[in-house]
Amino acid sequence: MTTAVETAGDDINQSSVAKTPIIAKEYILPFILVAALFPLWGFANDITNPLVKAFKDIFLISNAQSSMVQFAFYLGYGIMAIPAAIFIRRFSYKAGILLGLALYAIGALLFLPASMTAQFNFFLLALCVLTCGLALLETTANPYILSMGSPETSTQRLNLAQAFNPIGSLGGMFVASNYILSELKVEEFRAAEKAAHPEYVDLLPSVVDGKLTQALADFSIAEPMAHQAMQAADLITVRGPYIAIASVVALLFVVFLFRKLPDTITHDEPLTAKVLKATFVRLLSNARYREGVIAQAFYVGAQIMSWTFIIHYGMTSVGLTAAEAQQYNMFAMGIFLASRFICTFLLAKIRPGQLLLLLAIGGITLSFGTIFIGGMTGLYCLIATSACMSLMFPTIYGIALKDTGNDASLASAGLVMAIVGGALMPPLQGSMIDSASLVAGIPAVQTSFVLPLVCFIVIAIYGYRAHNIHKA
């Protein structure tokens, strides 16, 4: 998932664009500073996904309980998106950036006391505070970039800034794979236990995973002191990257604090309760926008579930280690990025609603493969869904915001708030993994991907309506 907001530009005269610089000279340094923020939420998003599996083993909790990591993480977007838009409009973009960076750093630093107390709920609080900061940064940075120059080149300017986001995403995946999952003592325990039982080779990966989990639980009872020491060491491993990123964020806070930034917000109309109410009424009566928020929530849910439980899928249906499964997650991100360029090209030839429908149909088809085929082929189907998801967020965003006019800033915040779909759906999938399989003979982790399948169906319906009814 990339959780960055994009916008669709209107058709413009090409000769005019050629004469208009993407970034005006006076905005070059502010643009560079704000663009430097884009990797921050990419890093946070993709270093957090593997924590669902890591915390499950460290704290010996269920999949549903460990999925609360995603609930807490994406809840911050639901809490903060609209208040962030109001705050920015009331004060300034710079104020929004500073508050966002402060909350980001505080949330990351809370991993220190959370690891010292070994309290899972403390980690959830830390993640929620961190993502309140992310919501502020995303709600601020995107419109700020758009405002730094001519409206004719605003979309190009935003796309340029968003090119930095995948750097953070890949960085988060790399750190999670090489400095968290591969360094966990609990993974060493699982590897040693598996090596001690050569008969496991003849068992299904899902059965082996269950036996290793049970062995870990037995160890915690038989050797409580040794298990606590292993748990403490693993929590120190988990907190390390968050303390490091907190230092980077704190440095950026100081830079923005003392750097003067242009104020590009127009304050023509006071932001009163009456103005807000009128704006919300207009947006709620706009079917294209209203349905777009719903589709966006289902899209984010599908993305987060697909990228979070790819580790569970790889371990349970294929027999990979957590670190090996995370490597496939990085492969999925590479496909996601490559497909984004391809789909951006296709947008010049295919209407947004039609492209969204085609991508959703692809996601539906691949989800059936993920559920019913299993093994490496099923894992490849799961990875390939990233190609279908690559342009869903910006396409839904552009369709939903069409013709919102002056309401676009608050409408944008509503679409950012829809990221809360990533909070609501992973715990439900985790519960399905813990429960009996929906189809006899197929591991529950595979049948749990019926949830992303439903999400793609909802997105397909919105794409169909956008193309055939809304005339996108």
Side-chain angles (χ1 to χ4, degrees):
M1 168 209 87
T2 180
T3 58
V5 180
E6 299 185 41
T7 187
D10 295 325
D11 291 336
I12 52 177
N13 184 277
Q14 294 300 316
S15 61
S16 174
V17 174
K19 298 176 183 177
T20 305
I22 295 177
I23 309 168
K25 188 175 295 185
E26 64 270 22
Y27 289 122
I28 291 178
L29 184 55
F31 174 87
I32 293 173
L33 288 174
V34 177
L37 300 174
F38 280 68
L40 293 181
W41 53 81
F43 181 89
N45 288 340
D46 290 289
I47 197 176
T48 301
N49 290 338
L51 291 187
V52 175
K53 177 58 179 173
F55 279 141
K56 177 183 182 295
D57 290 336
I58 292 172
F59 288 106
L60 290 176
I61 54 181
S62 68
N63 287 296
Q65 290 172 311
S66 65
S67 295
M68 292 302 292
V69 166
Q70 298 293 38
F71 177 83
F73 188 88
Y74 290 97
L75 181 64
Y77 285 96
I79 293 172
M80 189 57 68
I82 290 179
I86 296 172
F87 178 85
I88 294 160
R89 187 166 168 180
R90 172 66 178 82
F91 295 99
S92 67
Y93 286 125
K94 178 177 178 178
I97 290 171
L98 288 173
L99 182 56
L101 289 172
L103 289 172
Y104 191 139
I106 291 170
L109 287 173
L110 285 175
F111 268 65
L112 180 58
S115 65
M116 294 173 67
T117 58
Q119 294 296 314
F120 179 57
N121 289 336
F122 208 151
F123 281 102
L124 299 183
L125 174 63
L127 287 168
C128 189
V129 172
L130 188 152
T131 46
C132 283
L134 291 184
L136 260 162
L137 289 177
E138 289 204 47
T139 308
T140 304
N142 289 284
Y144 198 14
I145 289 291
L146 290 172
S147 70
M148 290 182 178
S150 169
E152 295 177 339
T153 56
S154 60
T155 301
Q156 293 170 279
R157 196 159 47 250
L158 184 56
N159 286 335
L160 178 60
Q162 287 178 342
F164 293 91
N165 179 263
I167 297 173
S169 294
L170 291 173
M173 289 184 172
F174 178 81
V175 170
S177 179
N178 294 279
Y179 296 98
I180 296 181
L181 296 178
S182 63
E183 299 297 320
L184 293 177
K185 300 299 181 183
V186 69
E187 283 300 309
E188 293 180 10
F189 177 91
R190 290 172 66 95
E193 183 71 16
K194 189 174 182 179
H197 293 82
E199 68 274 15
Y200 284 178
V201 175
D202 299 324
L203 300 178
L204 292 172
S206 57
V207 175
V208 174
D209 184 67
K211 287 183 175 294
L212 295 179
T213 300
Q214 185 58 52
L216 185 58
D218 293 342
F219 173 70
S220 70
I221 296 172
E223 302 286 347
M225 297 299 292
H227 178 261
Q228 288 176 15
M230 182 172 69
Q231 183 185 65
D234 284 347
L235 292 178
I236 290 174
T237 298
V238 168
R239 84 186 184 197
Y242 285 88
I243 301 303
I245 194 62
S247 302
V248 174
V249 172
L251 178 61
L252 282 171
F253 179 90
V254 173
V255 171
F256 277 95
L257 181 64
F258 292 103
R259 174 69 194 181
K260 185 176 180 179
L261 296 176
D263 185 3
T264 58
I265 297 178
T266 56
H267 302 277
D268 296 335
E269 186 179 29
L271 189 61
T272 63
K274 183 178 180 180
V275 171
L276 280 175
K277 181 180 178 181
T279 301
F280 286 128
V281 168
R282 284 192 297 272
L283 291 175
L284 289 174
S285 63
N286 183 334
R288 185 203 306 271
Y289 174 75
R290 186 177 64 246
E291 294 170 12
V293 171
I294 295 171
Q296 199 72 285
F298 277 91
Y299 160 70
V300 176
Q303 177 184 294
I304 301 309
M305 288 187 288
S306 296
W307 289 353
T308 296
F309 293 106
I310 193 172
I311 294 178
H312 296 68
Y313 195 98
M315 295 179 71
T316 305
S317 292
V318 182
L320 305 174
T321 67
E324 288 170 341
Q326 176 63 6
Q327 294 296 324
Y328 284 93
N329 216 352
M330 294 180 69
F331 183 36
M333 174 57 74
I335 291 176
F336 181 88
L337 297 177
S339 179
R340 167 161 287 193
F341 287 104
I342 296 171
C343 291
T344 299
F345 170 77
L346 291 176
L347 270 177
K349 302 179 179 296
I350 304 175
R351 287 179 178 271
Q354 184 179 20
L355 179 60
L356 184 63
L357 174 60
L358 292 173
L359 291 173
I361 291 173
I364 292 169
T365 303
L366 290 167
S367 292
F368 274 110
T370 300
I371 295 168
F372 293 106
I373 297 177
M376 283 302 303
T377 303
L379 180 60
Y380 288 140
C381 286
L382 178 54
I383 291 169
T385 58
S386 292
C388 300
M389 295 189 293
S390 62
L391 216 66
M392 283 185 175
F393 190 100
T395 304
I396 294 171
Y397 183 84
I399 294 170
L401 281 192
K402 188 175 182 181
D403 300 327
T404 54
N406 293 331
D407 297 335
S409 59
L410 281 175
S412 173
L415 288 163
V416 173
M417 186 180 70
I419 294 175
V420 77
L424 302 177
M425 298 181 196
L428 182 56
Q429 186 173 8
S431 296
M432 293 181 68
I433 294 173
D434 289 330
S435 304
S437 174
L438 296 176
V439 180
I442 299 179
V445 70
Q446 289 177 214
T447 58
S448 72
F449 278 87
V450 70
L451 288 179
L453 171 63
V454 171
C455 292
F456 288 128
I457 291 173
V458 172
I459 296 165
I461 293 171
Y462 183 66
Y464 175 84
R465 285 177 58 77
H467 179 60
N468 294 284
I469 298 175
H470 297 312
K471 305 299 182 184

